[in-house]
Amino acid sequence: MMIRSLLIAGLLPVPAFCLSLDLPASAEMTLEEERPLDSTTIASGPFDGSVVPMADASGTVSVQAWRLQAAGLTTLQILEPLAKQLEAEGFDALYTCESEACGGFDFRFALETLPPPAMHVSLNDFRYLSARKGEDEYAALLVSRTSRAAYLQITSVTTGEPGEDAGLSAAPGAPLVPAEQVAPGSFGERLETAGHVTLGDLTFETGSAQLGEGTYESLAALAEYLESVPNRRVALVGHTDSEGSLDGNIALSRRRAASVLERLATTYGIPRRQLEAHGMGYLAPVASNLTEEGREANRRVEVIVLSE
């Protein structure tokens, strides 16, 4: 299916800026975000042992996730024709890589990605391409796959139309927060706007409530947000898949949330008065528990901003 054709037919909302890319006929859009007058980062090199080099991009940010029935195709077979289309659109490649060559776990979790089940990224099988057109238009493609399907995220950034800037970042019904406290495009702004964010890079041993060793980008970002707005309180909520009893899963999910709370308090020095820990077990799934992909998406810890 062709994105432009769908837009003309009125089947998809028309964003301010949309790449004209031909996708396989099986492609199905799973999620779309459009953020006028916002900013994001585009990877321009591999993880070097400490950071992933990033290009700062500001303007109208459009992020789309697609699911492709392409079990027989490799990530390279999916990405290569899209890369040629970007070139034809006038984009010059900034950086392209595959899985471990990108930096594996560290590279993947430095990227801004849409949440599962809309977008799925296998750490063992993904490819990335970033490109730039002129000085202020950027595009990034992230392709991954499972045994059943492939997933594609398309990120595009272009200079947006000038508009009035009130210096505030808030969602309807949410407290107005000065822009100097919560930076545009930051983890904190996403949390303030959506009300909740999944801490997607956390790892736990199977059946265990103990948070894995090492650092997690999502926790560092959450800690930075809580330090910048010290009067804000959040709830950490654990979730599980549907395997096992409800009581057991609620207890496990609560202990996992509590483990995250302890890490924030002891490693990052976040005051406990800003944190709560709760468990929902399998009562709030984000995907079907009938598939392994869905169960994996349901096993998560979310952070929810609380009213003052």
Side-chain angles (χ1 to χ4, degrees):
M1 115 179 53
M2 187 172 182
I3 299 176
R4 178 177 288 168
S5 298
L6 283 173
L7 295 173
I8 293 173
L11 299 179
L12 293 176
V14 180
F17 170 60
C18 182
L19 292 173
S20 176
L21 298 178
D22 285 316
L23 300 183
S26 63
E28 175 187 4
M29 183 184 286
T30 56
L31 187 62
E32 180 181 34
E33 289 184 358
E34 184 188 345
R35 309 196 303 266
L37 296 179
D38 202 349
S39 61
T40 189
T41 53
I42 304 293
S44 57
F47 178 68
D48 64 7
S50 58
V51 297
V52 174
M54 292 286 186
D56 295 322
S58 300
T60 296
V61 180
S62 174
V63 188
Q64 299 174 340
W66 296 80
R67 189 176 191 273
L68 292 71
Q69 298 294 337
L73 296 179
T74 66
T75 54
L76 179 59
Q77 289 172 324
I78 296 171
L79 183 63
E80 189 171 21
L82 298 178
K84 291 180 179 179
Q85 292 178 56
L86 281 178
E87 184 178 359
E89 291 272 354
F91 284 84
D92 296 317
L94 284 176
Y95 178 62
T96 185
C97 62
E98 177 187 10
S99 303
E100 288 302 317
C102 301
F105 177 94
D106 297 285
F107 181 88
R108 179 262 180 267
F109 284 107
L111 302 177
E112 177 187 356
T113 58
L114 293 174
M119 181 63 191
H120 174 84
V121 183
S122 169
L123 291 177
N124 298 318
D125 191 3
F126 71 87
R127 287 181 185 269
Y128 178 82
L129 168 70
S130 60
R132 181 172 62 190
K133 181 179 181 180
E135 294 298 321
D136 48 28
E137 290 188 12
Y138 289 85
L141 305 177
L142 177 62
V143 181
S144 187
R145 62 175 194 153
T146 67
S147 60
R148 298 183 179 182
Y151 292 84
L152 166 67
Q153 178 172 296
I154 304 172
T155 302
S156 58
V157 185
T158 189
T159 302
E161 293 295 326
E164 183 178 353
D165 185 359
L168 298 173
S169 171
L176 295 179
V177 181
E180 63 268 19
Q181 286 184 287
V182 179
S186 68
F187 178 97
E189 187 190 42
R190 297 200 303 273
L191 182 57
E192 293 277 348
T193 301
H196 65 97
V197 172
T198 297
L199 305 175
D201 57 343
L202 305 185
T203 58
F204 299 87
E205 294 295 330
T206 302
S208 170
Q210 186 60 43
L211 181 62
E213 294 299 324
T215 59
Y216 298 97
E217 183 183 351
S218 65
L219 291 190
L222 175 56
E224 182 180 3
Y225 161 72
L226 291 171
E227 288 174 349
S228 69
V229 192
N231 64 333
R232 192 72 77 245
R233 296 170 54 249
V234 299
L236 300 160
V237 184
H239 300 268
T240 66
D241 59 31
S242 62
E243 296 183 354
S245 69
L246 176 58
D247 289 344
N249 275 297
I250 288 178
L252 174 62
S253 60
R254 185 187 302 116
R255 292 197 303 272
R256 286 181 171 176
S259 180
V260 176
L261 186 154
E262 288 299 318
R263 184 69 61 86
L264 286 166
T266 58
T267 301
Y268 295 96
I270 302 302
R272 294 177 186 272
R273 61 176 172 76
Q274 287 184 266
L275 305 169
E276 296 181 8
H278 303 279
M280 289 291 291
Y282 54 66
L283 294 178
V286 294
S288 171
N289 280 298
L290 298 179
T291 67
E292 177 54 38
E293 294 171 13
R295 290 190 292 272
E296 181 179 351
N298 289 333
R299 297 190 292 267
R300 68 198 191 280
V301 175
E302 290 182 328
V303 56
I304 298 173
V305 67
L306 301 176
S307 59
E308 296 181 347

